[in-house]
Amino acid sequence: DGGITQSPKYLFRKEGQNVTLSCEQNLNHDAMYWYRQDPGQGLRLIYYSQIVNDFQKGDIAEGYSVSREKKESFPLTVTSAQKNPTAFYLCASGGSGYPGGKNIQYFGAGTRLSVL
Amino acid sequence: AQTVTQSQPEMSVQEAETVTLSCTYDTSESNYYLFWYKQPPSRQMILVIRQEAYKQQNATENRFSVNFQKAAKSFSLKISDSQLGDTAMYFCAFIGQGAQKLVFGQGTRLTINP
């Protein structure tokens, strides 16, 4: 099935630990995104990548890092510098196959990160 | 900077009723796209409907339709014959022409009661 797979579904982080959230897509999309969702708030963009080996900071990039070594994969690392990491993290991808351009983003099922 | 505002934090209607969710946005661009996403309790974000700003005709997808008022910068979602499965958070979102960044509103929690 085509889609976006995020893993794990639940993740726990210890104090001072870096953790990595996985995002894989088989939609052949060029662009991939990471969003953070906090209770009662909309989604905020952490990082995005429009092409392999290139990525840009979003609105809340501090304490996070990403890589884009393959078109299909866009892992997000939550570093120890992120002091309030507890949130729901959503990965999305967007392609150019839809008439009208690249502007539709499809989402994975998300990862809930909690601090122990 | 673009902003998206959803003024109704929560709404509740009876099954089979029609409900309208409000969204306003602010932008200086003339070409852009607007979206409604649904987030059910499973937390998966699902695209409900999209509207391209240069198209005057309002988009429809089965029971879902929008009322797009470009001059007023308003983009409301109407759900007809509401069903229990429509219970979810609904997010309005904006993206400029050629841009990559979606701007989301804060969401409206919609509950459909039996």
Side-chain angles (χ1 to χ4, degrees):
Chain A
D1 288 350
I4 302 168
T5 302
Q6 288 188 243
S7 61
K9 191 171 183 179
Y10 300 97
L11 186 59
F12 297 91
R13 193 191 88 167
K14 295 179 181 179
E15 195 74 32
Q17 185 183 41
N18 293 351
V19 292
T20 297
L21 285 61
S22 172
C23 179
E24 303 275 334
Q25 56 99 358
N26 60 5
L27 300 168
N28 199 33
H29 285 167
D30 293 314
M32 297 186 75
Y33 313 80
W34 275 106
Y35 291 90
R36 171 177 170 143
Q37 186 178 24
D38 293 284
Q41 297 190 32
L43 278 67
R44 294 183 290 168
L45 183 64
I46 305 172
Y47 268 99
Y48 65 101
S49 168
Q50 297 173 274
I51 195 170
V52 174
N53 292 323
D54 188 44
F55 48 82
Q56 287 77 41
K57 293 182 179 180
D59 298 320
I60 54 166
E62 186 175 351
Y64 300 97
S65 66
V66 293
S67 63
R68 186 86 185 277
E69 297 177 1
K70 298 186 300 181
K71 186 176 183 178
E72 301 80 18
S73 178
F74 191 41
L76 173 74
T77 296
V78 184
T79 73
S80 56
Q82 172 50 246
K83 298 306 179 187
N84 184 24
T86 296
F88 189 65
Y89 292 87
L90 283 158
C91 177
S93 70
S96 56
Y98 185 90
K102 306 176 183 180
N103 295 316
I104 289 184
Q105 293 184 20
Y106 297 95
F107 287 80
T111 293
R112 174 165 293 285
L113 175 62
S114 302
V115 176
L116 290 177
Chain B
Q2 292 95 355
T3 58
V4 176
T5 302
Q6 294 179 248
S7 59
Q8 306 150 310
E10 294 189 29
M11 297 186 72
S12 178
V13 298
Q14 296 299 118
E15 192 175 7
E17 290 183 346
T18 294
V19 59
T20 299
L21 281 59
S22 301
C23 173
T24 58
Y25 58 94
D26 188 24
T27 183
S28 58
E29 297 186 44
S30 57
N31 291 327
Y32 48 86
Y33 301 83
L34 293 159
F35 305 85
W36 279 98
Y37 280 91
K38 168 184 176 181
Q39 188 179 40
S42 67
R43 304 298 297 272
Q44 174 104 43
M45 293 284 282
I46 302 165
L47 179 64
V48 175
I49 198 166
R50 100 173 205 160
Q51 175 80 39
E52 296 166 87
Y54 60 85
K55 289 188 177 179
Q56 293 187 346
Q57 185 173 5
N58 289 326
T60 61
E61 287 287 343
N62 301 314
R63 297 182 295 107
F64 299 88
S65 61
V66 298
N67 183 3
F68 173 50
Q69 302 288 329
K70 190 173 184 179
K73 296 181 181 175
S74 170
F75 183 60
S76 60
L77 174 69
K78 184 171 84 171
I79 305 174
S80 303
D81 186 26
S82 58
Q83 301 175 358
L84 297 179
D86 295 332
T87 293
M89 283 288 288
Y90 286 82
F91 291 95
C92 178
F94 167 101
I95 191 166
Q97 174 73 37
Q100 289 292 324
K101 177 182 168 181
L102 270 173
V103 179
F104 284 87
Q106 292 188 313
T108 295
R109 183 176 301 280
L110 175 65
T111 302
I112 309 298
N113 298 308

